[in-house]
Amino acid sequence: MQKFLFELNRNADFQSRYLSDRRDAMNGFDLSDEERHALAEPDIGLLFHLGVNGQILMHFAAFHEIEWQDYLQQMRDGIAAHGPVREGVYAVTGYEGVDAHSSRLSKTSDAEKGS
Amino acid sequence: MPLVFAGVCSHAPGIVGRADQADPLAKQRLDAAFRDLRLQLEASQPDALIVVAAEHFANFFMNNMPSFAMGLADYYEGPIENPEWLGIEKTRIPGNRSLSERLISKVMERSDVSYAEEWKFDHGIMVPLHFLTPQYELPIVPANINCQGPPLAPLHRAWEFGQALREAADSVPERVALIGTGGISHWPATPDSGKINEVWDREFLNHWSKCDKESLLAYSDSQAYMDAGQGAFEIRTFIAVSGATEGCPATVHFYEPIPIFAVGCTTATVDLSVP
């Protein structure tokens, strides 16, 4: 799935092929039905949940002219709908979500100020 | 010719692409800092600029991921991103194949490095060049450290890569400048984008400005990930510059968290007059 996006992000001819027939462009890539669906829609939230690196996903969202704040919200919605990130760098230590991150960082900062 | 310039700066795509969404005064302060950095770079009269960057799956992917790579071409292209989204037009950036070949050969004497005759620059290099060489006249030698796809080279290898770059730069007759570009704490391109751990950043920059090798190499990826996000893996680019300038103090000229840019924006230079 990430290989598909890597190729798409850097190849203008491949981008044209994807735009003309999204599912046909996926031929030759080892993708599950869920992944094909997410790539064809595109479902940014599901792609993030499935483990697509944000650097790749960010370029894909820009390609689809998704505004920055919408891109962030779609990822948040994906986590809310599907659960924590399944694979990849964000799952290495367990993606805990925006609120949990903010809470922990706040506690860390308070502890450092108090020390 | 001994290295003529060394510094670091941020490269976040929002710095240019979302410039209109930032606090105008904060944006003005950052623009002024980049202008000052450009003037310092120009004053060193470089023949070429090595950019130690943290590439973001623009050229290197998990099917064949080098820990360290350098460009070996007379020109490069960029940005890979949608130009309207990044706010930087697609262009051709000059390289110097002869210089690259001599630098890479020297680096190889003490550090394993891959090389690439084709390289499409992403925001990690294009944003710094947009500010530092806006006319794209200075030949660039790109150098990449894998900061994206674990397993990542340990921090001491980034230090040693910097040392190898320094030896190489010092061994050629050209006047070579060096800039490292990366984020400190940040969660780029994720739902947490915009979060910045300023306390963590300032502590890191304090160690970096003192070229405190022991403290810099004591960071762990697992703890950095928890405290400072996956973007903090990019401290390897800063540490490479420290390795290249061991023993030299540095000055952080600008640091300011700008959430819409998704990073604590930074410019800094190393005082190369101190041995």
Side-chain angles (χ1 to χ4, degrees):
Chain A
M1 181 173 51
Q2 294 201 93
K3 184 70 183 296
F4 174 84
L5 292 172
F6 168 75
E7 298 290 351
L8 186 71
N9 285 343
R10 54 182 273 110
N11 187 326
D13 291 339
F14 193 33
Q15 289 171 3
S16 298
R17 192 177 149 207
Y18 171 83
L19 289 175
S20 65
D21 188 333
R22 297 181 183 186
R23 287 188 178 269
D24 181 68
M26 297 175 205
N27 288 335
F29 290 86
D30 183 12
L31 298 166
S32 68
D33 289 344
E34 185 181 39
E35 290 168 341
R36 287 176 191 277
H37 164 76
L39 291 167
E41 284 296 316
D43 188 332
I44 297 295
L46 180 55
L47 289 168
F48 185 71
H49 161 75
L50 291 173
V52 175
N53 185 288
Q55 296 290 346
I56 294 177
L57 192 56
M58 173 173 70
H59 293 178
F60 184 57
F63 171 65
H64 281 286
E65 299 183 345
I66 297 170
E67 292 296 326
W68 181 249
Q69 296 300 340
D70 291 340
Y71 162 66
L72 299 181
Q73 190 57 47
Q74 288 181 30
M75 286 189 291
R76 293 179 186 125
D77 292 345
I79 295 297
H82 306 294
V85 174
R86 254 189 244 177
E87 293 183 42
V89 66
Y90 311 125
V92 170
T93 56
Y95 182 77
E96 56 194 327
V98 177
D99 293 340
H101 253 144
S102 300
S103 172
R104 185 169 50 72
L105 284 177
S106 172
K107 288 176 184 171
T108 304
S109 178
D110 289 346
E112 285 170 351
K113 284 175 184 171
S115 63
Chain B
M1 175 74 70
L3 191 71
V4 298
F5 173 91
V8 295
C9 69
S10 304
H11 68 220
I15 291 174
V16 185
R18 296 189 294 279
D20 59 336
Q21 298 179 42
D23 172 356
L25 293 178
K27 173 61 179 160
Q28 283 178 23
R29 290 191 291 270
L30 177 58
D31 283 350
F34 266 121
R35 185 192 63 232
D36 290 345
L37 192 62
R38 173 175 60 80
L39 293 174
Q40 290 189 66
L41 172 64
E42 290 174 352
S44 72
Q45 300 181 299
D47 296 317
L49 174 64
I50 299 173
V51 183
V52 179
E55 212 242 24
H56 315 85
F57 294 130
N59 298 275
F60 309 111
F61 191 64
M62 300 306 285
N63 60 340
N64 190 5
M65 177 61 80
S67 294
F68 304 97
M70 293 176 68
L72 178 63
D74 277 325
Y75 69 88
Y76 306 94
E77 296 175 349
I80 188 174
E81 292 93 341
N82 179 324
E84 291 183 10
W85 178 83
L86 188 61
I88 299 175
E89 290 297 316
K90 287 188 183 294
T91 189
R92 178 177 282 201
I93 302 98
N96 183 331
R97 194 183 197 288
S98 165
L99 175 61
S100 279
E101 188 167 348
R102 284 175 282 128
L103 291 172
I104 291 167
S105 297
K106 190 70 178 175
V107 168
M108 280 178 167
E109 290 182 8
R110 61 181 294 174
S111 180
D112 289 332
V113 63
S114 299
Y115 53 84
E117 292 187 339
E118 299 176 9
W119 197 313
K120 295 181 179 181
F121 292 173
D122 70 14
H123 64 268
I125 292 181
M126 292 305 295
V127 168
L129 296 188
H130 172 77
F131 289 103
L132 300 179
T133 65
Q135 303 305 315
Y136 303 110
E137 293 172 336
L138 183 64
I140 302 301
V141 178
N144 180 58
I145 301 178
N146 172 26
C147 300
Q148 284 297 322
L152 308 177
L155 299 183
H156 73 268
R157 294 287 320 285
W159 181 280
E160 290 164 5
F161 181 58
Q163 290 187 310
L165 283 176
R166 174 61 182 272
E167 275 193 9
D170 289 355
S171 73
V172 297
E174 288 91 343
R175 297 174 63 85
V176 176
L178 173 69
I179 188 107
T181 87
I184 323 174
S185 74
H186 64 315
W187 287 255
T190 74
D192 285 324
S193 180
K195 191 188 302 298
I196 297 162
N197 188 340
E198 182 173 350
V199 173
W200 197 92
D201 283 355
R202 290 192 182 279
E203 182 176 72
F204 176 82
L205 288 173
N206 183 44
H207 298 319
W208 184 82
S209 62
K210 295 174 180 169
C211 204
D212 181 346
K213 180 179 180 180
E214 185 177 350
S215 296
L216 289 173
L217 300 191
Y219 284 88
S220 72
D221 282 336
S222 58
Q223 192 61 46
Y225 181 90
M226 297 302 288
D227 296 337
Q230 85 285 352
F233 298 161
E234 294 179 355
I235 60 173
R236 284 168 172 75
T237 62
F238 282 49
I239 288 174
V241 171
S242 294
T245 59
E246 186 165 10
C248 297
T251 302
V252 177
H253 300 288
F254 184 85
Y255 173 82
E256 183 170 336
I258 304 179
I260 192 62
F261 295 165
V263 74
C265 296
T266 307
T267 66
T269 55
V270 181
D271 184 356
L272 295 173
S273 67
V274 178

